[in-house]
Amino acid sequence: MNIFGRDWRLKTSILTSFVVLTVPVFFTIISVTYLSNDRIARANARGLVERFRVDAVESIQTDFNPIKSLVRSAATIGDQYPDFYFDDRCFKYFYSVLLHSPRIVSAYVGLNDGAFRQTRRIDPAVPIQDRLPPEGTRYAYRWVVPKAGGPNDDHYLFLDADLKELGRSEQRTSYDPRARLWYRSAAEAGAETISDPDIFATLGLIGFTIAAPFYSGGKLLGVAAVDITLAGLGEYLAERKISPGTLSYILDHQGRVIAASDLSKTYANVGGKLELLHITSLDKELPAAAFSARPRGGDGQFMFSHQGKDYVGSLATLAPEFGKKWQLFIITPLADFTEAFQINNIQLAFFGLLALVFQIVVIYFLTGVVSAPLEKLAFKVGRIQELGSDQLPSVSSSIHEISVLSKAIDTLDMAVKSFSAFVPVGLVRQLLQSEQKLELGGHSRFLSDLEAFSSLSEELPSQELLLRVSAYLELVTKTVNQEHGTIDKFVGDGVMAFWGAPALLDDHAWRACVAAMRIQRGMEALNARWQAEGFKPLNVRIGIHSDAVLVGNIGSKERMSYTVMGDGVNIASRLEGLNKEFQTRICISHAVFKEAGERLCVRPIDDVAVKGRRAKVPIYELMGVYGADDPGLEPDARTQLLCRMTGLAYEALVGEDHVLATRRYREILDEFPEDTVAATLTRRLVTA
């Protein structure tokens, strides 16, 4: 073999490179040791985090279960002794509940007659009934007893730490416990409930309430409850940290922060309304990065990196028995566990790099000869998979196998471009990017069908007809591809396209509607140009429907077609035809409206019978879309007014109030004399 010759063999080149690049035995040992240390450190970290997660979840539930038991016990007393909460005996009982945990700030009961009795902790710096409580106040008894025919009095009895009376206060009040969320929720559930975080009306604190109803003779007698502050939860997390750098949060089911271990403020009081901050809206970037990296399938442990540092994250949902879908979110720096290993790893890496320096110098030339053309070929294959339209130059190489491979890739490029001219581009792209074989069969997908037909004049000369239809079809093809749709077939002057296959699209219905609006705008531009040249305009009618249809390769082994079949295709065709009846441009089904209604500007037209469907289905005219990258597709104020007026008339129509419907459609014609839908339905109502 001539090393510096041009006719190199790829296999020989690779073997030579491996011989020259053989890593010394000591470097192999260093590498294995380095990786083993890192793997052990990560495994230890994950194990510690997992144990902490399990212990923390169990601890939270264990700490709160006694409080919940206290509430259930209070409700049981009401069940067994119905008169217990109707006098002052309950105050000292509630005081004993407060002593159970410093996180309990008040215990109370609301009765079905509007009475309210409460024992609560007192902050001497917070005014009560417009003045500060007496000096030394630590607790207070509070009661509201309803009076017939007049406003109630709100009474406070202030007590020191030994429950000695320090003073009293009273004030007129409209407070009624039966109107509070904690009372209503427990009464409706008929069982123990845990409220969402809220502002306590009488305490001025932010927390949540655990409440349980009690009954007498099967009739609701009242609700017993305790209030727990969020500040206590934050302190609870701060006391239980797996490492110095660990952050832990309690989140609700929407990811909003209920409590944080760093005791940072995670909520705001705006006009008496509690607004919890989302975990991604905190001042620190780390919680947002960790939340974004969490597993989407549910609870679990995960690794992620942020600003060059590795972290272990854990997300765990409290058991259903807890009563709320709260989650424990833990973020731990991996460096807290791996610092000792890192020093050893750095030393190992240093000696390994010294060994690599010499090898890199030796193989520099060889790798350049082999890798440069391969990189170009890999880039070219990638462009072929993307169906790029540009023609890349051929890759030349002194290695025989690479030269042959380059010629084969050039042939593949030409074959794929030719193939994509006859097969939907989406299907070709899917076949190139996956291992799927082209074979007979099909599978159901939820997708949208678009049927677009133009009414062409038979008087047009053949050449002119061909050019104008080609311009129309080119517009439709580019627009459908732009919105990630798939062209199924051209049928004369009609086009059928679908969305949601071969690649799934969550917003398939909306994209079909955007494509329809873009086609209409494009046809307006084409018609303006044709009219300026003295030609007649072409009008396009479009029908859109969303349904589950069969999509796949249909035909024989010798010739097949990637297409859709099913009732949904027929409905789309029916919708397209309804445009002619109402002289509209884009008609969509109720299924499309349900899929993307909040992003569409539509107006209801009528309920029509569709072949194969027993009941009539509502149809709509698409007037605009919201949120597209083209502001010109959004409806103007006049269009929105027309949609609102049509909606009111449609309500009367489906309500079979034909007199009111006729009047409202005539009001539309007064405001919009050229409106074809109102004119059509007015004629129908008058002749009915």
Side-chain angles (χ1 to χ4, degrees):
M1 179 189 68
N2 183 7
I3 297 179
F4 298 100
R6 294 185 58 83
D7 191 16
W8 285 16
R9 296 289 182 177
L10 181 59
K11 182 177 181 180
T12 305
S13 301
I14 294 176
L15 290 175
T16 303
S17 298
F18 269 104
V19 171
V20 176
L21 296 175
T22 300
V23 179
V25 174
F26 78 90
F27 181 74
T28 303
I29 297 175
I30 291 174
S31 299
V32 171
T33 304
Y34 179 92
L35 295 174
S36 298
N37 287 343
D38 185 72
R39 184 167 56 252
I40 292 171
R42 290 174 180 268
N44 288 340
R46 294 174 71 98
L48 289 173
V49 170
E50 179 62 19
R51 286 197 294 272
F52 172 74
R53 180 186 70 83
V54 173
D55 292 343
V57 170
E58 291 180 352
S59 296
I60 291 174
Q61 296 178 161
T62 300
D63 282 1
F64 280 93
N65 283 339
I67 299 176
K68 294 161 67 176
S69 296
L70 289 173
V71 177
R72 289 194 294 268
S73 297
T76 301
I77 292 175
D79 289 333
Q80 300 298 321
Y81 305 99
D83 61 341
F84 180 75
Y85 293 117
F86 284 85
D87 54 38
D88 297 343
R89 289 180 296 169
C90 62
F91 287 131
K92 286 192 175 181
Y93 169 69
F94 287 148
Y95 170 73
S96 68
V97 173
L98 292 184
L99 296 180
H100 177 80
S101 172
R103 286 192 291 276
I104 301 177
V105 294
S106 70
Y108 49 91
V109 66
L111 302 177
N112 62 356
D113 62 353
F116 179 75
R117 288 179 174 82
Q118 176 188 49
T119 300
R120 52 168 289 194
R121 300 181 189 273
I122 293 295
D123 184 350
V126 177
I128 294 178
Q129 294 187 346
D130 303 325
R131 64 175 181 269
L132 292 175
E135 185 176 354
T137 299
R138 291 295 178 267
Y139 302 97
Y141 295 154
R142 181 195 177 199
W143 66 96
V144 177
V145 179
K147 295 190 300 185
N152 302 329
D153 292 327
D154 191 358
H155 302 272
Y156 275 87
L157 176 62
F158 300 106
L159 307 168
D160 64 9
D162 298 323
L163 298 186
K164 293 181 180 179
E165 181 177 344
L166 299 178
R168 293 173 178 263
S169 175
E170 65 179 55
Q171 192 178 71
R172 293 293 177 87
T173 183
S174 61
Y175 181 80
D176 188 339
R178 296 170 296 184
R180 302 299 296 174
L181 180 60
W182 57 268
Y183 186 99
R184 291 187 284 106
S185 298
E188 292 174 2
E192 172 191 293
T193 60
I194 301 178
S195 71
D196 291 328
D198 198 359
I199 299 176
F200 301 142
T202 60
L203 303 177
L205 298 174
I206 298 178
F208 59 93
T209 300
I210 302 176
F214 54 90
Y215 301 84
S216 176
K219 179 181 178 182
L220 178 67
L221 193 61
V223 174
V226 299
D227 291 334
I228 303 176
T229 64
L230 290 182
L233 282 178
E235 295 169 357
Y236 173 84
L237 294 176
E239 295 169 358
R240 295 163 172 81
K241 297 179 66 174
I242 188 174
S243 69
T246 296
L247 294 173
S248 52
Y249 301 89
I250 293 180
L251 312 177
D252 66 7
H253 65 285
Q254 294 180 337
R256 296 176 298 185
V257 182
I258 296 174
S261 63
D262 58 0
L263 303 182
S264 60
K265 189 174 182 180
T266 59
Y267 52 83
N269 184 352
V270 181
K273 182 180 180 181
L274 176 66
E275 292 185 359
L276 290 176
L277 298 177
H278 195 270
I279 186 68
T280 59
S281 301
L282 300 179
D283 294 336
K284 298 180 179 179
E285 295 181 3
L286 179 59
F291 194 74
S292 299
R294 75 193 190 284
R296 295 298 186 269
D299 295 356
Q301 192 179 111
F302 58 96
M303 306 282 292
F304 71 99
S305 298
H306 178 65
Q307 295 182 348
K309 297 181 179 180
D310 293 333
Y311 295 85
V312 179
S314 177
L315 185 67
T317 302
L318 272 65
E321 295 80 14
F322 182 71
K324 300 296 288 185
K325 293 182 179 179
W326 288 1
Q327 298 173 310
L328 176 63
F329 190 42
I330 306 169
I331 308 168
T332 299
L334 194 61
D336 286 0
F337 306 93
T338 61
E339 185 175 359
F341 288 109
Q342 290 300 328
I343 297 175
N344 187 42
N345 289 340
I346 291 173
Q347 295 176 346
L348 292 172
F350 175 75
F351 290 105
L353 288 174
L354 287 179
L356 280 174
V357 170
F358 176 74
Q359 298 175 25
I360 291 175
V361 174
V362 173
I363 67 173
Y364 178 79
F365 172 74
L366 294 177
T367 54
V369 172
V370 176
S371 63
L374 289 177
E375 290 175 356
K376 293 179 181 179
L377 290 175
F379 176 76
K380 191 168 185 177
V381 170
R383 295 295 297 165
I384 294 174
Q385 288 182 309
E386 297 172 1
L387 294 182
S389 59
D390 51 332
Q391 183 68 35
L392 296 178
S394 298
V395 177
S396 59
S397 174
S398 59
I399 300 177
H400 176 73
E401 286 80 357
I402 295 179
S403 178
V404 173
L405 179 62
S406 176
K407 294 178 182 178
I409 291 176
D410 289 339
T411 304
L412 173 65
D413 188 14
M414 291 184 293
V416 168
K417 285 184 171 61
S418 300
F419 184 55
S420 62
F422 298 94
V423 179
V425 174
L427 176 60
V428 177
R429 184 177 290 111
Q430 183 187 40
L431 292 173
L432 289 174
Q433 296 177 353
S434 68
E435 298 180 356
Q436 178 182 354
K437 296 181 179 180
L438 190 62
E439 57 186 10
L440 289 176
H443 51 278
S444 294
R445 292 275 180 92
F446 193 76
L447 50 84
S448 298
D449 310 295
L450 183 150
E451 292 274 358
F453 295 90
S454 59
S455 179
L456 303 178
S457 172
E458 296 181 356
E459 299 176 357
L460 290 175
S462 300
Q463 188 64 26
E464 178 188 336
L465 176 63
L466 178 62
L467 293 175
R468 294 176 66 183
V469 171
S470 296
Y472 153 67
L473 295 178
E474 181 181 3
L475 167 65
V476 174
T477 301
K478 289 182 177 180
T479 304
V480 170
N481 290 336
Q482 179 183 353
E483 294 303 326
H484 306 290
T486 301
I487 296 291
D488 185 307
K489 61 174 68 74
F490 300 112
V491 184
D493 60 350
V495 181
M496 187 170 77
F498 53 85
W499 276 256
L504 286 174
L505 289 173
D506 293 335
D507 55 352
H508 52 85
W510 183 74
R511 287 189 177 275
C513 293
V514 172
M517 293 297 300
R518 292 190 192 278
I519 291 171
Q520 289 293 352
R521 285 196 61 194
M523 287 304 300
E524 291 175 2
L526 284 176
N527 284 330
R529 189 186 74 190
W530 288 336
Q531 286 181 308
E533 296 172 355
F535 298 118
K536 294 182 180 179
L538 300 180
N539 294 322
V540 178
R541 301 189 301 269
I542 300 174
I544 308 175
H545 176 59
S546 287
D547 206 344
V549 301
L550 184 67
V551 57
N553 301 309
I554 308 300
S556 65
K557 293 182 178 179
E558 289 74 19
R559 181 175 178 83
M560 61 182 68
S561 173
Y562 187 79
T563 185
V564 294
M565 295 189 304
D567 185 50
V569 178
N570 299 329
I571 295 177
S573 176
R574 168 70 170 136
L575 292 171
E576 185 274 330
L578 287 172
N579 284 297
K580 186 173 183 181
E581 179 179 345
F582 293 98
Q583 300 182 47
T584 53
R585 289 290 177 263
I586 307 174
C587 188
I588 70 174
S589 67
H590 186 64
V592 176
F593 179 72
K594 287 197 301 182
E595 282 286 322
E598 73 281 356
R599 304 178 68 182
L600 305 179
C601 179
V602 301
R603 61 167 176 168
I605 299 178
D606 196 3
D607 294 352
V608 301
V610 178
K611 184 178 180 181
R613 302 291 176 97
R614 295 182 179 179
K616 293 185 176 181
V617 295
I619 61 171
Y620 305 84
E621 181 182 8
L622 179 63
M623 309 293 286
V625 294
Y626 300 105
D629 55 5
D630 186 352
L633 301 182
E634 298 201 6
D636 55 22
R638 290 281 294 170
T639 301
Q640 295 181 34
L641 174 61
L642 176 59
C643 292
R644 287 194 298 269
M645 295 179 69
T646 306
L648 293 174
Y650 174 78
E651 289 180 1
L653 179 64
V654 298
E656 298 185 356
D657 189 345
H658 292 176
V659 175
L660 178 59
T662 302
R663 186 176 80 243
R664 288 179 175 175
Y665 280 120
R666 284 175 174 169
E667 291 173 355
I668 295 174
L669 291 174
D670 291 340
E671 183 70 22
F672 302 91
E674 303 299 325
D675 184 53
T676 58
V677 173
T680 301
L681 292 173
T682 300
R683 288 194 302 270
R684 183 187 299 175
L685 290 169
V686 170
T687 58

